[in-house]
Amino acid sequence: REAYVMGSVAVPGPVALPPTRQLTALQAIGAARGYVEDADRAGTHLLRDDPQHPGRKLIIQTNAGEDGRLDDVVLQPGDIVVV
């Protein structure tokens, strides 16, 4: 069970999803050692398998506000956080 963090983070790649608690997109970005200096935080989004259309992905916007804070989303296995 893992999700992935890709793009403008220090260490992109898989992040293990703990079996006993939830992991959020922001926690996964932290596990990837955070944003790189020139990361576009407002452009951060989540790709998730679309249960209605196998093989397609849903794009979930994280709605970064002017202060750069993201709406946090609980990750599911196979999710991809793109910074």
Side-chain angles (χ1 to χ4, degrees), residues 25-26 29 35 40-47 59-73 81-83:
L26 285 176
I29 290 168
Y35 296 102
D40 177 15
R41 295 177 186 209
T44 301
H45 59 279
L46 175 71
L47 300 176
I59 299 173
I60 301 170
Q61 298 299 328
T62 54
N63 300 321
E66 290 180 16
D67 61 0
R69 302 183 107 200
L70 302 177
D71 290 342
D72 217 355
V73 178
V81 179
V82 181
V83 178

Side-chain angles (χ1 to χ4, degrees), residues 9-73:
V9 292
V11 183
V15 175
L17 297 176
T20 58
R21 65 179 176 84
Q22 296 178 328
L23 185 76
T24 68
L26 285 176
Q27 290 169 328
I29 290 168
R33 307 235 176 162
Y35 296 102
V36 296
E37 188 174 326
D38 63 344
D40 177 15
R41 295 177 186 209
T44 301
H45 59 279
L46 175 71
L47 300 176
R48 176 171 287 164
D49 288 329
D50 184 346
Q52 303 288 335
H53 302 95
R56 294 175 112 183
K57 298 278 188 191
L58 296 171
I59 299 173
I60 301 170
Q61 298 299 328
T62 54
N63 300 321
E66 290 180 16
D67 61 0
R69 302 183 107 200
L70 302 177
D71 290 342
D72 217 355
V73 178

